[in-house]
Every structure is written in C-alpha cells, then in structure tokens.
Amino acid sequence: MAQTMVNFRIDEDIKNKMEQACKDMGMSMTTAFTIFAMKVGKERRIPFEITADPDPFYSESNMHYLAKIIDGIENGTRPLVEHELIEVDSE
C-alpha cells in the first residue's frame, strides 16, 4: 500500500494531550489517525457520536413543549404575544 503525507493544524494543547494518551496506549498519533481514517473509510461515518449541545433546540422535551404552545394558540386557550426585536451588538 502506497503511503502519503497528510498535514493539518491542531491546537498545541490538544496535540500534546493526544500524544500522551496515544503513548499511554502504546501507539503513535499516526497509528491512531490511521485507525480513525480506516474506520471512517469503511463505515462512511464518524465512528463516535458528535453533539453540539446537551439540550438541543430540537430535543424531544423542547419539541413537546413547543407543540403544547402551538396547540394552545391554535385552539384559542393561549394568546399569541408578539415581542419587539432586541438589537444585539455583534463585536
């Protein structure tokens, strides 16, 4: 199998922690990245769960809450209240 060089940037602290973890497991970072790349190539997915927010907007509990509000507005038991826009400085 032909070898190729892959270069990318990573935060130095993250790199150092990964190097130490790999060393503790008896492998190099190259081996760890190769294992990761092989798994992604074979399964066509990231081989672990990636989440952005522990309680995302589209969570089951939030969707249930929003559905109750919509039902109340539609059947007239809950008033539809408009709010003014709030300007936020984006610096």
Side-chain angles (χ1 to χ4, degrees):
M1 175 170 24
Q3 297 280 312
T4 188
M5 179 71 74
V6 177
N7 295 307
F8 57 90
R9 296 193 179 281
I10 189 170
D11 180 83
E12 185 176 6
D13 187 48
I14 293 170
K15 175 190 173 277
N16 292 338
K17 287 177 181 177
M18 182 173 176
E19 271 182 324
Q20 186 59 53
C22 289
K23 183 178 177 183
D24 292 346
M25 290 184 274
M27 72 174 103
S28 67
M29 282 181 53
T30 298
T31 300
F33 280 117
T34 300
I35 292 168
F36 174 79
M38 290 173 67
K39 189 118 173 124
V40 169
K42 181 178 182 182
E43 297 180 8
R44 310 284 300 161
R45 67 179 190 89
I46 302 296
F48 46 83
E49 184 177 349
I50 299 174
T51 59
D53 188 346
D55 189 23
F57 180 80
Y58 293 104
S59 68
E60 185 176 336
S61 62
N62 197 41
M63 296 309 292
H64 178 70
Y65 171 77
L66 293 171
K68 282 177 52 179
I69 291 174
I70 291 168
D71 285 344
I73 292 169
E74 289 177 346
N75 68 28
T77 60
R78 184 179 195 101
L80 178 59
V81 180
E82 292 186 32
H83 297 275
E84 290 189 35
L85 280 176
I86 299 171
E87 294 294 329
V88 178
D89 293 333
S90 57
E91 294 178 26

